[in-house]
Amino acid sequence: MPKFDDLSIIVCSRKDSAGLKTTLKSLECLNNYHFELILVLSDYSQNEINNIRLSIKTNRLIILEMPASGIYEAMNYGISKVTREYILCLNGGDSIFSPRNLEKLLAKIADKPWGYGAISIVNPEDEKKARKYNFFPYFRLLHKLSLKYVPHPSTIYRTDFLKSLGQFDTSYRIAADQKLALLASKKIRPINSNLIISKFIGGGKSDNRSAFEIVEDFRNISSEIDGIFLKNQKFDKLIWSLLLDRKSVV
């Protein structure tokens, strides 16, 4: 059964000391476990990095520096250095909601290649306000049509499985995590938990995209992975047009 000793947590941060501090604070409850922590940092001074290193008590720490080029590039870099069997990727500002829930998700995944739980989405204007989001149970068609999404900060992949998928496609600047999850779901249905695994501060780029941008990304991803609907261009166009109309009025 997987345990924290088998887990690598990758945290990516670009010049955001406050957000990184929030994430690292949430990981302090795991310091008695032997998980691997990989920090991928961009635009931090050497003095800041030294202070970060001194503030972290775990001795299973890897700090990587890279030029700022994008969150998924940073995650891929972190993945290339992982030495553990399972991976959880976080962005600076994300935090672990419950170590117990994370442990239960790991145990539930067992020998399966991936799985995810729920996420708590916090209102950036009032951090006391939060809503739970989960995609439970998983239906691939809802995901494919952008009607639901897999909460990436609450998703665990087996390392070799993730690498076999080709890691994150950085041509999708916002939706690479969803492309990876759709690729994974084509191979095998995910293990799913209704427990909250992580906490995410809303209001970022992913929350402020237009309906057109979202649908266009999922349309391209769907076409790349599964081809067009019914192998009919007109039907495919109709499906995505109807979907865009629906999302535009929601």
Side-chain angles (χ1 to χ4, degrees):
M1 184 176 69
K3 50 189 182 299
F4 284 130
D5 294 21
D6 303 312
L7 180 65
S8 288
I9 299 178
I10 298 171
V11 179
C12 302
S13 177
R14 178 187 178 189
K15 201 176 178 61
D16 178 18
S17 297
L20 182 59
K21 184 177 180 180
T22 295
T23 306
L24 296 178
K25 181 70 176 176
S26 78
L27 295 177
E28 287 181 0
C29 58
L30 304 180
N31 280 346
N32 291 330
Y33 300 96
H34 300 289
F35 74 99
E36 178 177 69
L37 176 59
I38 298 177
L39 303 183
V40 186
L41 306 178
S42 300
D43 293 342
Y44 281 85
S45 70
Q46 210 52 53
N47 185 56
E48 287 174 315
I49 291 172
N50 290 338
N51 287 336
I52 291 167
R53 191 185 302 276
L54 290 172
S55 71
I56 297 173
K57 296 179 175 61
T58 179
N59 59 5
R60 293 157 294 278
L61 171 67
I62 299 172
I63 295 183
L64 306 172
E65 299 175 62
M66 67 176 292
S69 55
I71 184 63
Y72 297 116
E73 286 86 350
M75 288 183 182
N76 283 341
Y77 186 32
I79 290 165
S80 72
K81 304 299 180 181
V82 162
T83 67
R84 302 296 171 88
E85 190 175 0
Y86 295 90
I87 295 174
L88 171 69
C89 292
L90 301 174
N91 198 0
D94 298 339
S95 53
I96 297 298
F97 181 84
S98 163
R100 181 62 178 154
N101 289 355
L102 179 59
E103 185 177 40
K104 287 181 177 180
L105 177 61
L106 263 174
K108 191 173 183 181
I109 289 174
D111 60 346
K112 303 299 183 186
W114 76 298
Y116 67 89
I119 192 168
S120 176
I121 303 175
V122 177
N123 185 330
E125 297 179 2
D126 185 352
E127 294 196 11
K128 292 182 180 179
K129 294 182 179 179
R131 62 182 177 88
K132 178 181 178 181
Y133 170 83
N134 198 7
F135 186 0
F136 184 89
Y138 180 80
F139 288 102
R140 191 170 188 270
L141 183 61
L142 295 180
H143 188 191
K144 178 176 175 173
L145 291 174
S146 76
L147 295 172
K148 299 286 282 184
Y149 66 92
V150 170
H152 177 61
S154 295
T155 303
I156 294 173
Y157 288 97
R158 186 186 289 271
T159 303
D160 58 1
F161 178 66
L162 191 158
K163 289 182 176 180
S164 76
L165 298 173
Q167 302 183 38
F168 293 100
D169 181 350
T170 58
S171 67
Y172 290 96
R173 307 308 298 172
I174 305 295
D177 56 338
Q178 298 309 303
K179 181 179 181 181
L180 187 72
L182 274 166
L183 275 169
S185 69
K186 189 171 184 178
K187 299 281 187 181
I188 187 169
R189 183 183 177 88
I191 297 299
N192 197 202
S193 169
N194 200 34
L195 298 173
I196 297 175
I197 305 302
S198 61
K199 185 166 65 173
F200 169 80
I201 305 297
K205 290 181 180 179
S206 61
D207 289 338
N208 293 303
R209 307 180 75 212
S210 68
F212 175 80
E213 290 173 316
I214 295 169
V215 170
E216 189 68 10
D217 268 350
F218 274 87
R219 180 179 184 176
N220 291 332
I221 289 168
S222 174
S223 179
E224 287 179 29
I225 295 174
D226 297 323
I228 62 176
F229 277 96
L230 299 181
K231 299 182 180 180
N232 184 301
Q233 192 69 51
K234 289 183 179 179
F235 183 75
D236 187 81
K237 184 177 181 179
L238 175 63
I239 289 292
W240 293 105
S241 295
L242 291 172
L243 181 65
L244 178 58
D245 289 344
R246 180 188 183 279
K247 291 182 78 71
S248 295
V249 298
V250 171

